[in-house]
Amino acid sequence: MKIGRFEIEQLSEGIFEVFEDGTIHKVHSEDIAHPTTDLEGIRVSSVLIGIDPILIRDGKHNVLIDTGLGWGLDAKSEYENTSNLKTNLDIFGLTPHDITHVVLTHLHFDHAAGSTYVDLFAHTQPTMDYANYFLQKKEWAFALSQVDQPLLAKGGNYDLDELYKLAADQKLVFITDARFELLPGIELIRTGGHTPGHQIVKIHDAGETAYFLGDLLPSEHHLNHYAMKQMDVDPLQSKKAKTLLLKQAYEEGAVLLFYHSIHTKAGRLMKDVDRKYVLEDVK
Ligand SMILES: [Zn+2]
């Protein structure tokens, strides 16, 4: 998809089933309709999500937003033949070395685990070795404060062991501004809510606009109602930020990109006759 000079791709790692205890496994598209049952045939409570990091290219820069699950990146990984950053970048003739900037919306493992991998000598390495990783200072501080604490919100798992290495290598850029221009036309906006340091990305060029709203708006199903109460650290702030951003995006005729959608992964924000938000196909 084109937004002004930017070429935007969604790097899909597939569809995953997430269970109440936080375990996650990959599902094949033909199994989506069949709910998982336990040994006694009782339906197990789970949700299906996609995992879709974003690649933005403008000919000079290759910007990656969120880094996926990182399955199959480690030298001795148990995962084989799985889609990850490497295999997905390869489709566009790129490798992780070609990434110039990494943006992390927040540090939950499903958004940040692909940031590093373990090499043959059992050393943690940055996956995108030439890039800096841009995140909110508040997010880092909050993640550190959650180590050894009971989970505040469902799915809010931080796995910081590997990220300490990025910090030690000075690969992390801690943003203190609520709005930060990463490049002309790419702006990071702190929203809080889902986590205190959650940020989203606005892409704007030549009169065209797109938003990647991270876990503030994980999929198309969250457009017209707020259903993240159990997932958000500050539900009220999430709802407020989401309402304001959607209003803004609608006025701008913007395209929305989703990280966790299974079906509609992107669309132009419109309203139907009932004044409800709908998405229109973008080519
Ligand atoms: Zn999250």
Side-chain angles (χ1 to χ4, degrees):
M1 164 197 322
K2 275 281 220 189
I3 295 290
R5 74 179 193 279
F6 298 112
E7 190 70 57
I8 302 177
E9 312 287 353
Q10 284 169 294
L11 308 179
S12 179
E13 301 195 352
I15 298 168
F16 298 83
E17 187 167 21
V18 186
F19 296 92
E20 287 220 308
D21 64 356
T23 52
I24 184 165
H25 70 73
K26 198 163 185 172
V27 289
H28 300 284
S29 46
E30 62 269 27
D31 296 335
I32 289 175
H34 308 292
T36 302
T37 53
D38 67 12
L39 289 173
E40 265 112 52
I42 296 164
R43 194 178 161 173
V44 174
S45 168
S46 66
V47 287
L48 291 176
I49 59 167
I51 299 279
D52 290 76
I54 306 278
L55 171 68
I56 309 171
R57 292 175 291 168
D58 69 355
K60 271 194 221 144
H61 312 95
N62 300 310
V63 178
L64 181 70
I65 311 175
D66 285 347
T67 58
L69 290 170
W71 288 8
L73 292 178
D74 293 345
K76 290 176 185 160
S77 173
E78 55 186 294
Y79 301 104
E80 283 177 15
N81 299 322
T82 189
S83 292
N84 57 34
L85 283 181
K86 253 191 186 158
T87 62
N88 282 325
L89 288 171
D90 187 51
I91 297 170
F92 304 102
L94 298 174
T95 73
H97 315 296
D98 297 315
I99 298 298
T100 56
H101 304 71
V102 178
V103 174
L104 296 168
T105 58
H106 62 304
L107 294 176
H108 285 158
F109 78 97
D110 57 324
H111 291 256
S115 297
T116 59
Y117 70 98
V118 177
D119 70 13
L120 273 173
F121 310 100
H123 293 141
T124 298
Q125 302 288 357
T127 310
M128 277 54 70
D129 46 357
Y130 293 124
N132 281 325
Y133 292 60
F134 293 78
L135 69 157
Q136 290 283 331
K137 190 173 185 186
K138 268 193 172 177
E139 179 65 13
W140 182 248
F142 179 72
L144 291 181
S145 77
Q146 295 306 294
V147 174
D148 301 328
Q149 294 287 317
L151 276 189
L152 272 182
K154 268 192 190 176
N157 306 47
Y158 287 106
D159 188 357
L160 294 185
D161 292 359
E162 316 281 298
L163 293 172
Y164 291 136
K165 179 69 176 3
L166 288 182
D169 288 352
Q170 300 193 317
K171 300 289 279 179
L172 302 180
V173 179
F174 297 113
I175 303 167
T176 53
D177 298 330
R179 298 180 83 110
F180 177 84
E181 189 182 64
L182 183 74
L183 293 170
I186 302 182
E187 190 182 11
L188 314 183
I189 303 168
R190 186 171 69 224
T191 64
H194 181 63
T195 60
H198 183 276
Q199 62 182 355
I200 60 117
V201 183
K202 180 176 184 177
I203 304 143
H204 180 75
D205 190 53
E208 287 259 49
T209 306
Y211 286 89
F212 177 71
L213 296 177
D215 273 355
L216 194 62
L217 196 63
S219 80
E220 77 274 28
H221 301 300
H222 297 78
L223 268 184
N224 288 296
H225 62 277
Y226 173 74
M228 291 280 285
K229 242 193 188 83
Q230 295 179 313
M231 316 284 267
D232 290 340
V233 172
D234 183 349
L236 216 59
Q237 171 57 23
S238 273
K239 202 173 163 181
K240 191 174 134 197
K242 178 185 148 178
T243 306
L244 289 174
L245 276 165
L246 280 179
K247 187 170 175 281
Q248 172 91 27
Y250 173 70
E251 284 165 5
E252 291 167 333
V255 170
L256 303 184
L257 302 154
F258 303 110
Y259 191 76
H260 285 310
S261 282
I262 297 172
H263 300 293
T264 307
K265 291 174 180 288
R268 191 174 302 282
L269 189 61
M270 313 282 277
K271 280 185 178 172
D272 65 9
V273 285
D274 299 324
R275 306 292 294 155
K276 279 197 182 306
Y277 286 122
V278 286
L279 295 165
E280 189 183 76
D281 271 359
V282 269
K283 287 284 163 285

